[in-house]
Amino acid sequence: MKVAIVSDSNSGITQKEAEELGIKVVPMPFTIDGEEYFEDINLTQEQFYKFLLGDVNVSTSQPSIGFVMSLWDELLKEYDQIVYIPMSSGLSESCATALRAAKADYEGKVFVVDNQRISVTQRLSVLDAIELAKKGYTGQEIHDILMKVKMQSDIYIMVDTLKYLRKGGRITPAAAAVGGLLKIKPVLRIFGEKLDKHRMMNRTLENAKRIMIESAKNSIQGFLKDVDGRTDNIHFAVAYTGTDTSAAEVFVKMIEEEFGVQNVLCNPLSLSVSCHIGDGALAITVTKKLPDNL
């Protein structure tokens, strides 16, 4: 059974990385001043932030289902099954659209994983799927494993500006104005399908990093420990928005020292998330590793 792995660019996996990994990545579309762009095709990270910071109207949309299905059709000429891992259904309709298409026309051939992850945690799901396919698991088995562990992950994000939360309606204009005056840098949380407020009254980057680390510790000692009683089988990762990686690199070292770990992943947050939180954000993610005895 040959199983192809497909994701979208919300995973942070570039087209070049996808080629090296032997997978396919669907580029996410963006509408910028009325024109359509595709992530990592004709829209780089640098170009995106130039548009975003230039107060140009930037919005996200879902990939054309026709494009996605044509990719599936092409892959099924070579592979028996496909595992498709799109961004969280709680943050986009693209997952629901793919689920409907797979059920209608690709029963038993395409398995859409609605495991409600995005960015670094979505990337980890893709990497897990690749390893499972190499070990000979079927598309259905890979789907079921990823769905079983879908809630075993947590993301905490410090937002540098309230501007984009106000634009997205997550906070009121009055709250954004007051927060701007106080230079508030709130900490948000992505757990499952929701982007929620976590600690709003925070005013410095250093304090935000401490809040995120303590929150990650609570997750590891709490619901992640409840899975199997262990706290040593965790993937740590740092994510950020913008093109300046210096704060993220410092945060990586801080996490490695705090938790006694090495080789913490560090990747940009997805551009779809960046649209809603803006430049200068910083995040920590903690994700349970797949158990050896699946």
Side-chain angles (χ1 to χ4, degrees), residues 209-210 213 250-259:
K209 289 191 288 188
R210 177 50 53 191
I213 284 177
V250 171
F251 197 31
V252 164
K253 292 179 181 178
M254 185 176 176
I255 290 167
E256 289 178 341
E257 292 175 2
E258 191 78 29
F259 292 93

Side-chain angles (χ1 to χ4, degrees), residues 87-160:
M87 71 182 292
S88 169
S89 61
L91 301 171
S92 170
E93 281 294 313
S94 60
C95 185
T97 303
L99 280 166
R100 288 192 293 269
K103 185 176 181 181
D105 299 309
Y106 298 87
E107 193 75 39
K109 294 183 178 180
V110 176
F111 301 88
V112 179
V113 179
D114 181 14
N115 69 340
Q116 297 172 348
R117 295 191 182 184
I118 191 167
S119 197
V120 182
T121 56
Q122 184 182 350
R123 174 192 284 261
L124 289 172
S125 291
V126 174
L127 296 178
D128 284 339
I130 292 170
E131 291 305 309
L132 291 170
K134 287 179 180 178
K135 291 177 180 178
Y137 286 85
T138 67
Q140 181 70 66
E141 289 169 337
I142 295 170
H143 167 276
D144 293 348
I145 290 168
L146 295 182
M147 290 297 290
K148 183 178 179 181
V149 302
K150 71 177 186 177
M151 301 303 288
Q152 297 175 17
S153 185
D154 219 350
I155 305 178
Y156 294 95
I157 309 172
M158 181 220 71
V159 177
D160 190 53

